[in-house]
């Protein structure tokens, strides 16, 4: 993606418990394989611990294994279909149009990105998939018969940070490591870190939250209901800038906060561009 004349502001989201109300596997998949949520995650976590395995790879394995044991189809489209059953936090489905409109009114281009340890296939089947410039998430590879056979991409709490740099430099091709690692001055990058906003709910997002925050962008910890202990802890430990109720409705505290951030980012970007112009 090329750098544009109009300032680009990237808003990046975790998915599970940030935009949808719970882990995406819990809406329909786990029940369809005859397990409770507790049974599935206990089995997945035990596998990870017993094999000293990445927990994300463990859940991806367990999904395939459970599907096979229940004679379920595990084609790509079957995972995509699961996305239709996701339920979103209040206001999410109208959020993007409102924020994009505010950006246009303020002379900036808003882009939305997912950086998730969930399944890309399921997210692609959701009602909001079309709103994102890119969806960076776990994904399976499929054999000649179209059956899921191997993890193609795995996104865990530390590998999430690479996608910040991909957005920063405009390198969306996951096979392109060379361009990603080439030196580009920060002010020549497509989306400077100061133009980033990261929204997430939990500890697995700490590396991304801290990276964005420490490089001049904003990080927000969101929480549902009264479950704010994690968000309060992230604020106390100076890992995020703000903690807000996960409510994306018009006029919500979160929307007002994001609009203030967009306004400030626009002004800062204008001043930086003026400085660089005068500097020559």
């Amino acid at each position: 993606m090329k750098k544009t004349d109009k300032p680009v502001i990237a808003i990046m989201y975790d998915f599970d418990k940030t935009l949808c109300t719970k882990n995406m596997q819990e809406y329909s998949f786990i029940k369809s394989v005859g397990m409770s949520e507790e049974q599935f995650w206990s089995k997945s976590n035990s596998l990870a611990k017993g094999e000293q395995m990445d927990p994300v790879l463990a859940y991806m394995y367990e999904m395939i294994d459970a599907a096979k044991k229940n004679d379920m189809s595990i084609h790509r489209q079957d995972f995509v279909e699961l996305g239709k059953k996701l339920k979103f936090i209040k206001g999410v489905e109208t959020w993007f149009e409102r924020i994009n409109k505010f950006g246009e009114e303020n002379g900036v281009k808003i882009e939305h990105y997912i950086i998730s340890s969930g399944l890309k296939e399921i997210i692609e089947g959701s009602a909001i998939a079309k709103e994102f410039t890119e969806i960076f998430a776990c994904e399976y590879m499929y054999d000649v018969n179209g059956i899921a056979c191997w993890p193609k991409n795995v996104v865990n709490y530390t590998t999430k940070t690479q996608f910040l740099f991909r957005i920063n430099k405009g390198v969306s091709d996951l096979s392109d490591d060379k361009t990603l690692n080439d030196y580009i001055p920060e002010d020549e990058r497509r989306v400077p870190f100061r133009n980033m906003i990261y929204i997430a709910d939990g500890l697995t997002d700490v590396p991304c939250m801290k990276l964005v925050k420490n490089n001049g962008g904003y990080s927000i910890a969101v929480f549902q209901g009264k479950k704010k202990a994690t968000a309060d802890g992230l604020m106390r430990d100076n890992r995020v800038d703000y903690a807000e109720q996960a409510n994306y409705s018009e006029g919500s505290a979160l929307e007002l906060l994001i609009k203030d951030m967009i306004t400030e980012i626009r002004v800062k970007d204008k001043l930086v561009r003026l400085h660089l112009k005068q500097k020559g």
Side-chain angles (χ1 to χ4, degrees), residues 50-208:
E51 296 293 336
Q52 290 293 287
M53 185 178 183
D54 186 303
V56 177
L57 279 170
Y59 96 67
M60 293 180 76
Y61 173 85
E62 286 298 338
M63 287 186 75
I64 295 297
D65 189 54
K68 286 180 179 177
K69 288 177 179 176
N70 285 269
D71 295 322
M72 283 179 59
S73 177
I74 46 177
H75 293 79
R76 193 179 202 287
Q77 189 57 35
D78 297 305
F79 286 124
V80 173
E81 287 295 315
L82 295 176
K84 296 179 180 178
K85 307 228 178 128
L86 301 183
K87 295 181 181 179
F88 297 102
I89 293 170
K90 186 177 180 181
V92 164
E93 293 184 74
T94 59
W95 165 263
F96 305 97
E97 182 179 358
R98 283 182 276 116
I99 296 302
N100 292 345
K101 181 180 178 182
F102 183 81
E104 289 174 7
E105 291 170 349
N106 284 272
V108 298
K109 177 179 173 55
I110 305 294
E111 293 181 349
H112 305 273
Y113 295 85
I114 290 293
I115 304 178
S116 170
S117 293
L119 283 184
K120 182 176 182 179
E121 292 93 323
I122 294 178
I123 298 171
E124 286 181 344
S126 73
I128 61 173
K130 64 183 184 300
E131 306 292 353
F132 303 105
T133 300
E134 294 286 350
I135 297 172
F136 297 115
C138 299
E139 190 174 8
Y140 288 106
M141 185 166 68
Y142 298 84
D143 64 20
V144 292
N145 297 310
I147 305 295
C149 63
W150 194 262
K152 183 169 79 173
N153 291 310
V154 177
V155 181
N156 63 26
Y157 70 101
T158 51
T159 60
K160 280 187 172 188
T161 57
Q162 74 155 297
F163 302 107
L164 299 180
F165 288 98
R166 289 190 178 279
I167 295 166
N168 175 237
K169 294 184 175 182
V171 184
S172 58
D173 180 355
L174 299 190
S175 68
D176 185 358
D177 290 335
K178 182 184 181 304
T179 307
L180 180 63
N181 291 308
D182 283 345
Y183 173 72
I184 304 172
E186 179 67 12
D187 291 314
E188 294 178 17
R189 299 183 185 188
R190 187 174 184 277
V191 186
F193 277 99
R194 64 176 180 271
N195 288 20
M196 291 184 175
I197 301 170
Y198 194 91
I199 305 174
D201 73 293
L203 295 176
T204 57
D205 294 285
V206 165
C208 283

Side-chain angles (χ1 to χ4, degrees), residues 13 17 28 33 54 57 93 168 212 271:
Y13 312 80
K17 302 177 186 177
S28 58
V33 294
D54 186 303
L57 279 170
E93 293 184 74
N168 175 237
V212 171
L271 291 172

